[in-house]
Every structure is written in structure tokens, then in C-alpha cells.
Amino acid sequence: MTNGANGQRFCKRCLLQDYDEEEYIRTLRDHILWMDEEMKCPEEMYRKRLDICLECDKLNRGTCLACGCYVELRAAAKRGKCPRKKW
């Protein structure tokens, strides 16, 4: 990630067509699995957060169009917050 002229963050490599979807999913799950337990929210909270994200119009192929994050990573983090204040 890098910052643009207006301070917004953007990804330099966001061509999903080039990603191996299975590898992407495996890498995402590994990041969550390896996250320090003290940094993770409880599983029930994680699932509730994802349920809310699934209903949001800003969800697009696992990323949040409001902030650009990978919603599953943000939802797993104890300190994670929805940029639209939905959770």
C-alpha cells in the first residue's frame, strides 16, 4: 500500500485477474491463523462482523470499497473497525 496525493491509501497490485484465487484464499486464511491470539477478536464476533460485511454495498470480492482493506483481515483483528461504523 502507498499513499496518493490526497492521502488516501491505494494498492499498487490490484489486478485480481492475475491472482490465483485458491492461493489468495489460502494466504488470507494463513494470515488470520498466524495472527497473535491477543490481537484476534473472538470467533463469534468475527463471524458477526463478516455477516454485516456481506450485507454491505461496499463489499467487492473480499475488499471494502470504503477503505480498501481485506474485510476478513480487518474483521479478525480485535481492534478492527468498519470504516462506515457498522461494527
Side-chain angles (χ1 to χ4, degrees):
M1 287 263 189
T2 188
N3 289 332
N6 61 1
Q8 287 187 310
R9 296 187 315 173
F10 61 91
C11 179
K12 290 183 176 182
R13 292 184 357 178
C14 287
L15 297 178
L16 292 177
Q17 67 188 8
D18 295 334
Y19 289 168
D20 175 343
E21 193 166 341
E22 288 180 26
E23 180 64 24
Y24 167 77
I25 292 168
R26 189 172 26 260
T27 299
L28 181 66
R29 288 186 179 150
D30 284 348
H31 277 26
I32 293 169
L33 181 66
W34 296 333
M35 189 182 290
D36 187 328
E37 288 300 319
E38 292 179 12
M39 306 281 290
K40 283 187 195 178
C41 71
E43 182 70 20
E44 185 177 331
M45 179 183 289
Y46 173 66
R47 294 288 167 205
K48 285 180 182 180
R49 288 175 172 185
L50 291 182
D51 287 344
I52 293 168
C53 290
L54 283 170
E55 298 296 321
C56 183
D57 64 333
K58 295 295 183 184
L59 179 64
N60 183 18
R61 295 193 70 185
T63 60
C64 175
L65 296 178
C67 69
C69 77
Y70 296 109
V71 296
E72 289 156 289
L73 286 175
R74 181 175 290 226
K78 191 182 286 186
R79 291 186 177 196
K81 295 192 185 320
C82 170
R84 299 180 81 197
K85 298 183 177 24
K86 293 186 174 193
W87 49 262

